[in-house]
Amino acid sequence: MTTELEKLLESARAHLYPNYRQPELVMSHGQGVYVWDTSGKRYLDMYAGIAVNVLGHAHPSIASALHEQASKLGHMSNYFYNQPNIELAERLCRLTGMQRVLFGNSGTEANEAMLKLARHHFYSAGQPDRYRIIAFANSFHGRTLGALALTGQDKYREGFGPLPGVTHVPFGDLEAVERAMGPDVAGIIVETVQGEGGVLPAPQGFLEGLRRITEQHGALLLVDEIQTGVGRTGRFLGIHHYPTVKPDALSMAKALAGGVPIGAMLCSEKLAGALPPGSHGSTFGGNPLASKVALAVLDELEKQDLVQRSASVGAYLGERLEALGRYKAVSGARGQGLLRALELSETVDARTVVTDLREAGVLVTVAGGRALRFSPPLIITREQVDEGVAIVENVVGKLS
Ligand SMILES: *Cc1c(COP(=O)(O)O)cnc(C)c1O
């Protein structure tokens, strides 16, 4: 007799495009930091849908924002203004220090917009040959061809043909950046913490150096805050840890609407004319539904002081992970706020550990090949951190 689960798995294997590596289970529902699969097994979610579900699962503010807005006005396209979108733009400008917002539906799209902004800015200024971008080895900026050209990891790029217009230099190496600069460089794009690359924070002085170099050359500094934004690192933006560095543009997505698709490219007023009407756009971008949910997420962030909690509970998670360094299977811990990595020893297969952890009831992801990445909901408590770390300790302890 085939069970309901077996039927679903069979259908998934037959119909879904097989570009992912899902395990043999189906997720059913969630509540706070926990999710359940269809068999009733409970998991502590310490990855939050890749740094997305900042309010955890099934948060009532998100549910009611969705319900209210869907019952009122769900979609109109950008032929017209809509109120939640105007309010969100104003709110984001205030929170980030930027002056203009262009909305899309994902991180990749936000980076595409930023790339087009940089190129078109110089085109409009009579410098059409100034389109090269400098990006960093080990970076991740998305998977469409434009965003993929920025992404500095061969495993994502291989097989997709030439991805021109971008020079990759080692992350943290300001001399290499200087050498790669030229009159054809439109901008430099950087993550304040390389997320997919393995949770690698920018070395001291690096972002300040990039700001200085871009200013010297009249190029733009573009910051990818898709993973680091919305409180993940203990400040609203990753770049807020560097108060002297003001980017020309930045991209946000992932956590911005707590799980409802949204992306945003923000820039300074001097770039407000770079993409004139007709030069870029999106059917869904800035729709009232996603905008209303983003406003609800930002409200909760403020009400529960979640950015500060990300800093304090994140520091606690960091301490707990560092203490696991006494096991042979662990080679170190690093991170910022509630974006953390536990680096495993060379002899350990990180993917197997993720599977073992899932079976033991904790969800994490692999980043940078050898690190377990922790990016839990920002509502996670110290007790829940303890609960998760105890399970991690048990699993890595057995490997040691
Ligand atoms: C996830 C991510 C992206 C891509 O976002 P999508 O929503 O998957 O398109 C880009 N940059 C960074 C830093 C990311 O973490």
Side-chain angles (χ1 to χ4, degrees):
M1 204 185 81
T2 47
T3 65
E4 191 61 28
L5 174 62
E6 279 161 6
K7 267 192 241 160
L8 277 173
L9 293 175
E10 206 171 291
S11 182
R13 284 189 294 258
H15 304 293
L16 283 171
Y17 198 88
N19 62 319
Y20 297 112
R21 252 183 294 235
Q22 286 109 337
E24 301 280 286
L25 57 90
V26 176
M27 285 301 179
S28 158
H29 60 283
Q31 188 65 67
V33 295
Y34 297 102
V35 287
W36 286 262
D37 68 20
T38 54
S39 80
K41 183 176 166 64
R42 189 183 84 160
Y43 305 87
L44 173 61
D45 181 359
M46 295 191 94
Y47 88 109
I50 323 182
V52 168
N53 303 294
V54 272
L55 302 183
H57 298 275
H59 195 282
S61 297
I62 292 182
S64 62
L66 272 170
H67 176 78
E68 269 169 42
Q69 195 58 46
S71 315
K72 192 176 174 189
L73 186 69
H75 175 78
M76 277 300 291
S77 88
N78 289 295
Y79 276 105
F80 299 95
Y81 288 131
N82 72 77
Q83 192 174 337
N85 194 234
I86 296 169
E87 288 173 11
L88 179 60
E90 182 178 333
R91 187 83 166 266
L92 285 176
C93 287
R94 179 161 61 71
L95 287 166
T96 61
M98 292 283 129
Q99 279 86 44
R100 298 278 169 177
V101 194
L102 176 59
F103 289 98
N105 312 287
S106 68
T108 290
E109 279 179 68
N111 280 340
E112 287 283 342
M114 199 153 69
L115 192 54
K116 286 180 74 175
L117 175 93
R119 286 185 170 203
H120 215 262
H121 167 66
F122 288 107
Y123 170 83
S124 303
Q127 297 174 259
D129 295 331
R130 186 165 188 170
Y131 61 80
R132 188 159 60 95
I133 303 284
I134 292 178
F136 295 97
N138 206 38
S139 62
F140 184 83
H141 298 295
R143 299 192 188 245
T144 59
L145 288 172
L148 189 58
L150 301 172
T151 293
Q153 299 188 60
D154 290 342
K155 68 175 178 189
Y156 298 113
R157 300 165 64 94
E158 199 185 319
F160 294 108
L163 297 163
V166 181
T167 304
H168 288 97
V169 303
F171 187 59
D173 187 344
L174 287 174
E175 278 173 30
V177 174
E178 298 263 22
R179 281 196 301 275
M181 287 305 289
D184 62 331
V185 171
I188 299 179
I189 183 166
V190 67
E191 298 159 86
T192 65
V193 179
Q194 288 191 329
E196 301 305 301
V199 189
L200 301 158
Q204 189 152 30
F206 184 55
L207 295 161
E208 291 87 345
L210 294 182
R211 181 68 284 185
R212 179 175 44 75
I213 292 168
T214 44
E215 255 160 28
Q216 279 166 357
H217 289 80
L220 304 174
L221 180 62
L222 315 169
V223 178
D224 182 338
E225 292 271 7
I226 290 163
Q227 189 155 154
T228 47
V230 199
R232 176 59 51 193
T233 70
R235 299 277 168 91
F236 185 72
L237 292 177
I239 200 71
H240 290 163
H241 291 278
Y242 310 89
T244 61
V245 182
K246 192 175 182 306
D248 297 295
L250 59 90
S251 50
M252 299 182 74
K254 285 199 163 87
L256 189 51
V260 170
I262 191 168
M265 187 279 289
L266 296 97
C267 68
S268 65
E269 191 62 31
K270 81 166 184 198
L271 296 172
L275 290 172
S279 62
H280 192 57
S282 161
T283 298
F284 290 129
N287 72 73
L289 200 62
S291 301
K292 189 72 181 178
V293 177
L295 284 167
V297 168
L298 296 174
D299 281 345
E300 284 297 330
L301 220 62
E302 242 164 74
K303 218 162 48 185
Q304 301 186 44
D305 207 8
L306 290 179
V307 180
Q308 184 46 46
R309 279 183 49 125
S310 170
S312 57
V313 179
Y316 180 65
L317 173 60
E319 278 168 33
R320 296 294 321 264
L321 293 178
E322 222 149 272
L324 299 183
R326 65 177 178 276
Y327 292 102
K328 268 221 300 286
V330 173
S331 70
R334 57 176 175 260
Q336 212 178 29
L338 279 171
L339 184 56
R340 297 274 160 185
L342 186 70
E343 177 98 4
L344 300 172
S345 309
E346 265 169 61
T347 51
V348 179
D349 177 33
R351 254 189 239 290
T352 311
V353 179
V354 166
T355 304
D356 292 348
L357 282 171
R358 189 186 70 237
E359 281 163 5
V362 169
L363 303 180
V364 297
T365 48
V366 177
R370 257 178 49 204
L372 300 180
R373 173 178 41 185
F374 296 77
S375 56
L378 303 187
I379 58 164
I380 196 168
T381 63
R382 281 168 192 251
E383 292 70 33
Q384 288 159 343
V385 165
D386 287 339
E387 179 190 334
V389 173
I391 294 171
V392 174
E393 177 161 13
N394 195 21
V395 166
V396 299
K398 275 187 197 144
L399 293 168
S400 298

Coordinates of all heavy atoms in Angstrom, one line a residue, residues 95-150:
L95 N 15.3 54.0 7.0 CA 16.1 52.9 7.7 C 17.5 52.8 7.1 O 18.4 52.3 7.8 CB 15.4 51.6 7.7 CG 14.1 51.5 8.6 CD1 13.3 50.3 8.2 CD2 14.6 51.4 10.0
T96 N 17.7 53.1 5.9 CA 19.0 52.8 5.2 C 19.8 54.0 5.0 O 21.0 53.9 4.7 CB 18.7 52.1 3.8 OG1 18.0 53.0 3.0 CG2 18.0 50.8 3.9
G97 N 19.2 55.2 5.0 CA 20.0 56.4 4.6 C 20.1 56.6 3.1 O 20.8 57.5 2.7
M98 N 19.4 55.8 2.3 CA 19.3 56.0 0.9 C 18.2 56.9 0.5 O 17.3 57.2 1.4 CB 19.2 54.6 0.2 CG 20.4 53.7 0.3 SD 21.7 54.2 -0.8 CE 23.1 54.3 0.3
Q99 N 18.1 57.3 -0.8 CA 17.1 58.3 -1.2 C 16.0 57.8 -2.1 O 15.0 58.4 -2.3 CB 17.7 59.6 -1.8 CG 18.2 60.6 -0.8 CD 19.6 60.2 -0.3 OE1 20.5 59.9 -1.1 NE2 19.9 60.3 1.0
R100 N 16.3 56.7 -2.8 CA 15.4 56.2 -3.9 C 15.3 54.7 -3.8 O 16.3 54.0 -3.6 CB 15.9 56.6 -5.3 CG 16.0 58.1 -5.5 CD 14.6 58.6 -5.9 NE 14.6 60.1 -5.8 CZ 13.6 60.8 -6.2 NH1 12.4 60.2 -6.6 NH2 13.7 62.1 -6.1
V101 N 14.1 54.1 -4.1 CA 13.9 52.7 -4.0 C 13.3 52.2 -5.3 O 12.3 52.8 -5.8 CB 13.0 52.2 -2.9 CG1 13.2 50.7 -2.7 CG2 13.4 53.0 -1.6
L102 N 13.8 51.2 -5.9 CA 13.2 50.5 -7.1 C 12.9 49.1 -6.7 O 13.8 48.3 -6.3 CB 14.2 50.6 -8.3 CG 13.9 49.9 -9.5 CD1 12.6 50.4 -10.1 CD2 15.0 50.0 -10.6
F103 N 11.7 48.6 -6.8 CA 11.3 47.3 -6.3 C 11.3 46.2 -7.4 O 11.0 46.5 -8.5 CB 9.9 47.4 -5.7 CG 9.9 48.1 -4.3 CD1 9.5 49.5 -4.3 CD2 10.3 47.5 -3.2 CE1 9.5 50.2 -3.1 CE2 10.3 48.2 -2.0 CZ 9.9 49.5 -1.9
G104 N 11.6 45.0 -6.9 CA 11.5 43.8 -7.8 C 11.0 42.7 -6.9 O 10.3 42.9 -5.9
N105 N 11.3 41.5 -7.3 CA 10.7 40.3 -6.6 C 11.7 39.3 -6.0 O 11.3 38.3 -5.5 CB 9.8 39.5 -7.6 CG 8.9 40.5 -8.3 OD1 8.0 41.0 -7.8 ND2 9.2 40.7 -9.6
S106 N 13.0 39.6 -6.1 CA 14.0 38.7 -5.6 C 15.3 39.4 -5.5 O 15.5 40.5 -5.9 CB 14.2 37.5 -6.6 OG 14.8 38.0 -7.8
G107 N 16.2 38.7 -4.9 CA 17.6 39.3 -4.7 C 18.3 39.4 -6.1 O 18.9 40.5 -6.4
T108 N 18.2 38.4 -6.9 CA 18.8 38.4 -8.2 C 18.3 39.7 -8.9 O 19.1 40.4 -9.6 CB 18.4 37.2 -9.0 OG1 19.2 36.1 -8.4 CG2 18.8 37.3 -10.4
E109 N 17.0 39.9 -8.9 CA 16.5 41.1 -9.6 C 16.9 42.4 -9.1 O 17.1 43.3 -9.8 CB 14.9 41.0 -9.5 CG 14.3 40.1 -10.5 CD 12.8 40.1 -10.4 OE1 12.2 41.2 -10.7 OE2 12.2 39.1 -9.9
A110 N 17.1 42.4 -7.7 CA 17.6 43.7 -7.1 C 19.0 43.9 -7.6 O 19.4 45.1 -7.9 CB 17.6 43.6 -5.6
N111 N 19.8 42.9 -7.7 CA 21.2 43.0 -8.2 C 21.2 43.4 -9.7 O 22.1 44.1 -10.2 CB 22.1 41.8 -7.9 CG 22.5 41.8 -6.5 OD1 22.6 42.8 -5.8 ND2 22.9 40.6 -6.0
E112 N 20.3 42.8 -10.5 CA 20.2 43.1 -11.9 C 19.9 44.6 -12.1 O 20.5 45.3 -12.9 CB 19.1 42.3 -12.6 CG 19.4 40.9 -12.8 CD 20.3 40.6 -14.0 OE1 20.5 41.5 -14.9 OE2 20.9 39.5 -14.0
A113 N 19.0 45.1 -11.2 CA 18.7 46.5 -11.3 C 19.9 47.4 -11.0 O 20.1 48.4 -11.6 CB 17.5 46.8 -10.3
M114 N 20.6 46.9 -10.0 CA 21.8 47.7 -9.5 C 22.9 47.7 -10.6 O 23.5 48.7 -10.9 CB 22.4 47.1 -8.2 CG 23.2 48.0 -7.4 SD 23.2 47.6 -5.7 CE 24.1 46.0 -5.6
L115 N 23.0 46.6 -11.3 CA 24.0 46.5 -12.4 C 23.6 47.4 -13.6 O 24.4 48.1 -14.1 CB 24.0 45.0 -12.8 CG 25.1 44.5 -13.8 CD1 26.5 44.8 -13.2 CD2 24.9 42.9 -13.9
K116 N 22.3 47.3 -13.9 CA 21.8 48.2 -15.0 C 21.9 49.7 -14.6 O 22.2 50.5 -15.4 CB 20.3 47.8 -15.3 CG 20.2 46.5 -16.1 CD 18.8 46.1 -16.5 CE 18.3 47.0 -17.6 NZ 16.9 46.5 -18.0
L117 N 21.6 50.0 -13.3 CA 21.8 51.3 -12.8 C 23.2 51.8 -13.1 O 23.4 52.9 -13.6 CB 21.4 51.4 -11.3 CG 21.6 52.7 -10.6 CD1 20.3 53.5 -10.6 CD2 22.1 52.5 -9.2
A118 N 24.2 51.0 -12.7 CA 25.6 51.4 -12.8 C 26.0 51.7 -14.2 O 26.6 52.7 -14.6 CB 26.5 50.4 -12.1
R119 N 25.6 50.7 -15.1 CA 25.9 50.9 -16.5 C 25.2 52.1 -17.1 O 25.9 52.8 -17.9 CB 25.6 49.6 -17.3 CG 26.5 48.4 -17.0 CD 26.1 47.3 -17.8 NE 27.1 46.2 -17.8 CZ 27.3 45.3 -18.7 NH1 26.5 45.3 -19.8 NH2 28.2 44.3 -18.6
H120 N 24.0 52.2 -16.9 CA 23.2 53.2 -17.5 C 23.5 54.6 -17.0 O 23.4 55.6 -17.7 CB 21.7 53.0 -17.4 CG 20.9 53.4 -18.6 ND1 20.2 54.6 -18.6 CD2 20.7 52.8 -19.7 CE1 19.6 54.7 -19.8 NE2 19.9 53.6 -20.5
H121 N 24.0 54.7 -15.7 CA 24.4 55.9 -15.2 C 25.6 56.5 -16.0 O 25.6 57.7 -16.4 CB 24.9 55.7 -13.7 CG 25.6 56.9 -13.1 ND1 25.1 58.1 -12.9 CD2 27.0 57.0 -12.7 CE1 26.0 58.9 -12.4 NE2 27.1 58.3 -12.3
F122 N 26.6 55.7 -16.3 CA 27.7 56.2 -17.1 C 27.3 56.4 -18.6 O 27.8 57.3 -19.2 CB 28.9 55.3 -16.9 CG 29.5 55.5 -15.5 CD1 29.3 54.5 -14.6 CD2 30.2 56.6 -15.2 CE1 29.9 54.6 -13.3 CE2 30.7 56.8 -13.9 CZ 30.5 55.8 -13.0
Y123 N 26.4 55.5 -19.1 CA 26.0 55.7 -20.5 C 25.3 57.1 -20.6 O 25.6 57.8 -21.5 CB 24.9 54.6 -20.8 CG 24.2 54.8 -22.1 CD1 24.8 54.4 -23.3 CD2 22.9 55.4 -22.1 CE1 24.1 54.7 -24.5 CE2 22.3 55.6 -23.3 CZ 22.8 55.3 -24.5 OH 22.2 55.5 -25.6
S124 N 24.4 57.4 -19.6 CA 23.7 58.7 -19.7 C 24.7 59.9 -19.5 O 24.5 61.0 -20.0 CB 22.7 58.8 -18.6 OG 21.8 57.7 -18.7
A125 N 25.9 59.6 -18.8 CA 26.9 60.6 -18.6 C 27.8 60.7 -19.8 O 28.9 61.4 -19.7 CB 27.6 60.4 -17.3
G126 N 27.5 60.0 -20.9 CA 28.3 60.1 -22.1 C 29.6 59.2 -22.1 O 30.5 59.4 -22.8
Q127 N 29.5 58.2 -21.2 CA 30.7 57.2 -21.1 C 30.1 55.8 -21.3 O 30.2 55.0 -20.4 CB 31.3 57.3 -19.7 CG 31.9 58.7 -19.4 CD 32.4 58.7 -17.9 OE1 31.8 59.3 -17.1 NE2 33.6 58.1 -17.7
P128 N 29.7 55.5 -22.5 CA 29.1 54.2 -22.8 C 30.0 53.0 -22.6 O 29.6 51.9 -22.4 CB 28.6 54.3 -24.2 CG 29.4 55.4 -24.8 CD 29.7 56.4 -23.7
D129 N 31.3 53.3 -22.7 CA 32.3 52.2 -22.6 C 32.7 51.9 -21.1 O 33.5 51.0 -20.8 CB 33.6 52.5 -23.3 CG 33.3 52.6 -24.8 OD1 32.4 51.9 -25.3 OD2 34.0 53.4 -25.5
R130 N 32.1 52.7 -20.2 CA 32.4 52.5 -18.8 C 31.3 51.6 -18.2 O 30.3 52.0 -17.6 CB 32.4 53.8 -18.1 CG 32.8 53.7 -16.7 CD 33.2 55.1 -16.1 NE 33.8 54.9 -14.8 CZ 34.3 55.8 -14.1 NH1 34.4 57.0 -14.6 NH2 34.8 55.6 -12.9
Y131 N 31.5 50.3 -18.4 CA 30.5 49.3 -17.9 C 31.1 48.2 -17.0 O 30.3 47.4 -16.5 CB 29.7 48.7 -19.0 CG 30.5 48.0 -20.0 CD1 30.9 46.7 -19.8 CD2 30.9 48.6 -21.2 CE1 31.6 46.0 -20.7 CE2 31.7 47.9 -22.2 CZ 32.0 46.6 -21.9 OH 32.8 45.9 -22.8
R132 N 32.4 48.1 -16.9 CA 33.0 47.0 -16.2 C 32.7 47.1 -14.7 O 32.7 48.2 -14.2 CB 34.5 46.9 -16.5 CG 35.2 45.6 -15.9 CD 36.5 45.3 -16.6 NE 37.5 46.4 -16.5 CZ 38.4 46.5 -15.5 NH1 38.5 45.5 -14.6 NH2 39.3 47.5 -15.5
I133 N 32.5 45.9 -14.1 CA 32.2 45.9 -12.6 C 33.3 45.0 -12.0 O 33.7 44.0 -12.6 CB 30.9 45.3 -12.3 CG1 29.7 46.0 -13.0 CG2 30.6 45.1 -10.8 CD1 29.3 47.3 -12.4
I134 N 33.8 45.5 -10.8 CA 34.7 44.6 -10.1 C 33.9 43.9 -9.0 O 33.1 44.6 -8.3 CB 35.8 45.5 -9.5 CG1 36.7 45.9 -10.6 CG2 36.7 44.6 -8.5 CD1 37.9 46.8 -10.2
A135 N 34.0 42.6 -8.9 CA 33.4 41.8 -7.9 C 34.4 40.9 -7.2 O 35.6 40.9 -7.6 CB 32.3 41.0 -8.5
F136 N 34.0 40.1 -6.2 CA 35.0 39.4 -5.5 C 34.9 37.9 -5.6 O 33.8 37.3 -5.8 CB 34.9 39.8 -4.0 CG 35.3 41.2 -3.9 CD1 34.4 42.2 -3.8 CD2 36.7 41.6 -4.0 CE1 34.8 43.6 -3.8 CE2 37.1 42.9 -3.9 CZ 36.1 43.9 -3.9
A137 N 36.1 37.2 -5.6 CA 36.1 35.8 -5.6 C 35.3 35.3 -4.4 O 35.3 35.9 -3.3 CB 37.6 35.3 -5.4
N138 N 34.6 34.2 -4.6 CA 33.8 33.6 -3.5 C 32.5 34.3 -3.2 O 31.8 33.9 -2.3 CB 34.7 33.5 -2.2 CG 34.3 32.4 -1.3 OD1 33.9 31.3 -1.8 ND2 34.3 32.7 0.0
S139 N 32.2 35.4 -4.0 CA 30.9 36.1 -3.7 C 29.7 35.3 -4.3 O 29.9 34.4 -5.1 CB 31.0 37.5 -4.4 OG 31.1 37.3 -5.8
F140 N 28.6 35.7 -3.9 CA 27.3 35.2 -4.5 C 26.4 36.4 -4.6 O 26.1 37.1 -3.7 CB 26.6 34.2 -3.6 CG 25.4 33.6 -4.2 CD1 25.5 32.6 -5.1 CD2 24.1 34.1 -4.0 CE1 24.4 32.0 -5.8 CE2 23.0 33.6 -4.6 CZ 23.1 32.5 -5.5
H141 N 25.9 36.6 -5.9 CA 25.0 37.7 -6.2 C 23.8 37.3 -6.9 O 23.0 38.2 -7.3 CB 25.8 38.8 -7.0 CG 26.9 39.4 -6.2 ND1 26.8 40.1 -5.0 CD2 28.3 39.4 -6.4 CE1 28.0 40.5 -4.6 NE2 28.9 40.0 -5.4
G142 N 23.6 36.0 -7.2 CA 22.4 35.5 -7.8 C 22.7 34.7 -9.1 O 23.8 34.5 -9.4
R143 N 21.6 34.3 -9.8 CA 21.7 33.3 -10.8 C 21.2 33.6 -12.2 O 21.3 32.8 -13.1 CB 21.0 32.0 -10.3 CG 21.6 31.5 -9.0 CD 21.1 30.2 -8.8 NE 21.4 29.5 -7.5 CZ 22.1 28.4 -7.4 NH1 22.7 27.9 -8.5 NH2 22.3 27.8 -6.3
T144 N 20.6 34.8 -12.4 CA 20.3 35.2 -13.7 C 21.7 35.5 -14.4 O 22.7 35.7 -13.7 CB 19.4 36.4 -13.8 OG1 20.0 37.5 -13.1 CG2 18.0 36.1 -13.2
L145 N 21.7 35.6 -15.7 CA 23.0 35.8 -16.4 C 23.8 37.0 -15.9 O 25.0 37.0 -15.7 CB 22.8 35.8 -17.9 CG 22.5 34.4 -18.4 CD1 22.1 34.5 -19.9 CD2 23.6 33.4 -18.2
G146 N 23.0 38.1 -15.7 CA 23.7 39.3 -15.2 C 24.2 39.1 -13.8 O 25.4 39.4 -13.5
A147 N 23.4 38.6 -12.9 CA 23.8 38.4 -11.5 C 24.9 37.3 -11.4 O 25.8 37.4 -10.6 CB 22.6 38.1 -10.6
L148 N 24.8 36.4 -12.3 CA 25.7 35.3 -12.3 C 27.1 35.8 -12.7 O 28.1 35.3 -12.3 CB 25.2 34.2 -13.2 CG 26.0 32.8 -13.2 CD1 26.0 32.2 -11.9 CD2 25.4 31.9 -14.3
A149 N 27.1 36.7 -13.7 CA 28.4 37.3 -14.1 C 29.1 38.0 -12.9 O 30.3 38.0 -12.8 CB 28.1 38.4 -15.2
L150 N 28.3 38.5 -11.9 CA 28.9 39.1 -10.7 C 29.4 38.1 -9.7 O 30.3 38.3 -9.0 CB 27.8 40.0 -10.0 CG 27.2 41.1 -10.8 CD1 26.1 41.7 -10.0 CD2 28.3 42.2 -11.1

